[in-house]
Amino acid sequence: MNAQRKIIETVDITKVYGMGDISVAALSGVSITIAAGEFVAIMGQSGSGKSTLMHILGCLSRPTSGQYFLDGEDVSQLNKVQLAGVRNHKIGFIFQSYNLLARTSALRNVTLPLLYDHSNPRKQEEADAKAEKLLEMVGLSGRIHHQPHELSGGQQQRVAIARSLINDPVLVIGDEPTGNLDSHSGEEIMNLLHTLHAQGTTIVMVTHDPKIAAHTQRTISLLDGKVDFITHNGHNNTQQKQVKHETV
């Protein structure tokens, strides 16, 4: 991993909510590194800080202190408008609840992020062609004009995955991407994520399910706002090492 380009590097980041006696530290000195092409899970119990970390990695919020480098750029102190630009250009999101627009076709849901990319305006024909290609890749070539209510949960999540890729992001973040699915549909989504990973996509997935996390190369486990340990997920052999207060 040493020679690979770093997509994520956090340096001693903290996140504190509130002030004074009522302040709560959701993250306390988290330092992690994720290289291009890695598939990594972030796990932890409720209150561990995993959602807060995901929001910072996804440029949805800023750390209170410390630095976050996304694809080599320090985004720690960018304002809301600047963070929105970074999100649109560099990050694709897959949410547990899909977050698709109702009464809107799969095709239009996938092209939606392109509407916010004012720095690279595209003709509708070009956007549609790219969206159709992505929907075909996720196995929905026959469903491009279907609305969310006409699709199963697994199919809706496939639309969401296609949408996450429309802007060619350097990072895809999945927030419990199988959380609303039955076991069969969840397995299909994980197989699709494996395919994307094999094609070189960098994926960070937040999950509470150890079985889902085991699909990834590494699991970063959080406890009380700190990195507790890292699990390196092998085929039949799982190794753990303590990495408290160290760079992952």
Side-chain angles (χ1 to χ4, degrees), residues 60-233:
L60 295 166
S61 67
R62 301 188 307 181
T64 303
S65 64
Q67 290 178 289
Y68 171 31
F69 297 90
L70 174 63
D71 196 26
E73 177 186 2
D74 188 350
V75 298
S76 311
Q77 299 304 317
L78 298 184
N79 61 39
K80 291 182 178 180
V81 173
Q82 292 169 323
L83 286 175
V86 171
R87 288 197 305 271
N88 195 56
H89 286 95
K90 293 193 172 184
I91 304 173
F93 291 95
I94 307 168
F95 298 99
Q96 177 177 350
S97 56
Y98 324 131
N99 285 17
L100 301 179
L101 292 181
R103 297 183 298 280
T104 304
S105 70
L107 184 70
R108 287 288 163 261
N109 268 289
V110 173
T111 60
L112 185 63
L114 298 178
L115 297 177
Y116 300 101
D117 188 3
H118 302 298
S119 65
N120 184 27
R122 310 189 193 201
K123 293 182 179 179
Q124 192 66 59
E125 295 82 0
E126 180 185 357
D128 288 353
K130 186 171 185 179
E132 286 184 27
K133 184 176 180 180
L134 287 170
L135 286 167
E136 180 180 0
M137 183 191 72
V138 300
L140 292 177
S141 59
R143 298 286 190 274
I144 65 173
H145 298 300
H146 285 59
Q147 297 180 9
H149 72 273
E150 299 172 309
L151 301 172
S152 68
Q155 289 172 334
Q156 290 184 62
Q157 194 62 292
R158 288 172 180 269
V159 174
I161 290 173
R163 181 186 58 193
S164 77
L165 300 171
I166 193 70
N167 272 338
D168 302 312
V170 299
L171 171 66
V172 170
I173 295 179
D175 180 14
E176 300 278 6
T178 63
N180 280 355
L181 303 176
D182 59 49
S183 58
H184 176 71
S185 297
E187 194 68 26
E188 288 184 336
I189 293 302
M190 290 311 303
N191 288 337
L192 179 54
L193 293 179
H194 278 297
T195 298
L196 295 177
H197 172 234
Q199 294 171 353
T201 304
T202 306
I203 304 172
V204 173
M205 179 178 64
V206 175
T207 181
H208 70 281
D209 189 341
K211 292 181 180 179
I212 294 297
H215 280 266
T216 68
Q217 294 172 296
R218 290 191 293 150
T219 301
I220 300 173
S221 294
L222 301 183
L223 179 66
D224 297 333
K226 299 178 181 179
V227 175
D228 189 27
F229 61 86
I230 307 299
T231 305
H232 293 266
N233 301 318

Side-chain angles (χ1 to χ4, degrees), residues 14-17 26-27 49-57 61:
T14 69
K15 183 67 174 182
V16 178
Y17 294 102
L27 295 176
K50 67 180 186 297
S51 294
T52 300
L53 180 57
M54 183 200 72
H55 278 80
I56 290 175
L57 297 182
S61 67

